[in-house]
């Protein structure tokens, strides 16, 4: 089927997806059409429509969801609106891409998954690191059994508080709209990718802090992770006020006979030192990109390689799956598992850092 896309939410992340949709459809990478946009500020919706030559611009999400022009919905609003919008889209028989986090809490995430399953519509969540060249190549490199057992991971994730600067997401200081702060709104990516690379998380211990003073919206989370494999992890997630500093992730993985590190989360280099290198080595960005393209079956397709970036990669895979009438990846079940981990972290913090076990 041909995906005919309507986007709800013309804010910061909506702009990224709008550009991705325009590029993918303009280049003919997928037989899809970007046809409609909705935003509570009609001027923003109309601006998107002019730029992308869309057929419908509205401030009413119900109008977009009900429109016969649209069979595929992008939900790019604040988190508290995800559940009602996804449930309406599912009830209307529309396929759904929903930005992360899927919901404000685990209960809502499970309701959303149940709704799309009951409706039989296809779904994908915006856990974009599942399509990260660095993360997929890291997982491949670390699958070498000669490395021995995984021992530890250190993960720092920091950015300036995204109510300011180019994010300008003022709603992120309102717990009623977010469900929490840095952990659920940003580091749900981190928890998801760590479990993807190292396997199930068996238990957590956590503390949270609130420096900015927005009730219920933590700006620092310090988490100890115990993996089913026996490895231990430390995640430091924080929002600060250093406006000159961009969003950054730093990862270090230690195995019995191997070490891997990167200060990037999508494109960039990987530093490593293993039983086979006899010293430090670097896997450069260019080689990582080529390995990634081979892994996803796009080796040699330079048009796609040049066109696809961080957010347009997930748009490409989502639209292609809808066009080919198969389930996109990662689906909402992946999001629910990430929410299970985040829920356990918040419960641990509420108990003063007590260990909280997570069912497999």
């Amino acid at each position: 089927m041909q995906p005919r896309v309507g986007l709800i939410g013309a804010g910061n992340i909506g702009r990224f997806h709008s550009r991705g949709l325009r590029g993918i459809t303009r280049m003919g990478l997928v037989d899809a059409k970007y046809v409609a946009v909705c935003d509570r500020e009609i001027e923003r919706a109309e601006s998107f429509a002019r730029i992308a030559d869309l057929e419908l611009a509205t401030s009413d999400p119900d109008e977009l969801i009900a429109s016969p022009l649209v069979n595929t919905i992008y939900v790019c609003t604040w988190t508290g609106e995800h559940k009602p919008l996804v449930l309406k889209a599912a009830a209307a028989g529309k396929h759904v891409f929903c930005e992360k986090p899927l919901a404000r809490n685990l209960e809502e995430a499970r309701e959303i998954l149940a709704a799309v399953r009951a409706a039989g519509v296809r779904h994908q969540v915006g856990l974009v690191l599942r399509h990260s060249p660095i993360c997929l190549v890291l997982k491949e490199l670390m699958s070498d059994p000669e490395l021995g057992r995984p021992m530890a991971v250190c993960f720092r994730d920091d950015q300036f508080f995204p109510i300011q600067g180019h994010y300008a997401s003022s709603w992120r200081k309102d717990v009623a709209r977010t469900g929490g702060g840095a952990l659920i709104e940003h580091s749900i990516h981190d928890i998801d990718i760590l479990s993807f690379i190292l396997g199930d998380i068996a238990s957590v211990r956590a503390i949270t802090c609130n420096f900015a003073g927005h009730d219920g919206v933590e700006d620092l989370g310090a988490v100890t992770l115990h993996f089913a494999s026996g490895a231990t992890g430390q995640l430091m997630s924080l929002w600060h006020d250093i406006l000159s500093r961009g969003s950054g992730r730093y990862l270090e993985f230690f195995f019995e006979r191997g070490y891997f590190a990167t200060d990037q989360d999508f494109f960039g280099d990987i530093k490593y030192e293993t039983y086979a290198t006899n010293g430090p080595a670097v896997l450069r960005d260019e080689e990582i990109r080529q390995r990634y393209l081979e892994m996803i079956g796009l080796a040699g397709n330079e048009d796609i390689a040049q066109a696809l970036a961080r957010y347009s990669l997930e748009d490409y895979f989502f639209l292609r799956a809808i066009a080919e009438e198969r389930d996109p990846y990662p689906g909402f079940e992946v999001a629910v598992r990430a929410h299970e981990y985040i829920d356990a972290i918040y419960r641990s913090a509420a108990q003063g850092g007590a260990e909280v076990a997570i069912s497999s």
Side-chain angles (χ1 to χ4, degrees), residues 161 181-182 208-214 217-221 237-240:
F161 205 125
T208 58
C209 299
N210 185 322
F211 286 82
H214 302 299
V217 180
E218 79 286 345
D219 43 37
L220 187 148
S237 173
L238 64 155
W239 285 344
H240 45 67

Side-chain angles (χ1 to χ4, degrees), residues 75-84 98-105 108 112 171-172 176-179 184-185 339:
V75 176
C76 299
T77 60
W78 63 57
T79 308
E81 292 187 321
H82 290 182
K83 177 185 165 184
C98 184
E99 258 304 331
K100 64 77 210 164
L102 187 59
R104 293 176 297 182
N105 54 54
E108 287 186 355
I112 290 171
W171 55 269
R172 283 198 165 99
R177 296 182 179 185
T178 64
I184 191 167
E185 278 293 328
H339 273 280

Side-chain angles (χ1 to χ4, degrees), residues 68-146:
L69 294 170
V70 174
N71 61 23
T72 303
I73 305 288
Y74 269 66
V75 176
C76 299
T77 60
W78 63 57
T79 308
E81 292 187 321
H82 290 182
K83 177 185 165 184
L85 291 173
V86 173
L87 265 56
K88 287 178 181 179
K94 309 295 173 82
H95 305 302
V96 187
F97 177 97
C98 184
E99 258 304 331
K100 64 77 210 164
L102 187 59
R104 293 176 297 182
N105 54 54
L106 176 57
E107 180 182 2
E108 287 186 355
R110 286 173 171 165
E111 288 182 56
I112 290 171
L113 176 59
V116 294
R117 283 178 169 173
V121 298
R122 304 189 192 279
H123 46 88
Q124 182 174 318
V125 68
L127 288 169
V128 67
L129 296 187
R130 291 280 180 142
H131 296 299
S132 156
I134 277 184
C135 291
L136 266 71
V137 171
L138 270 172
K139 182 174 174 65
E140 181 184 60
L141 292 172
M142 292 188 293
S143 67
D144 179 1
E146 294 299 318

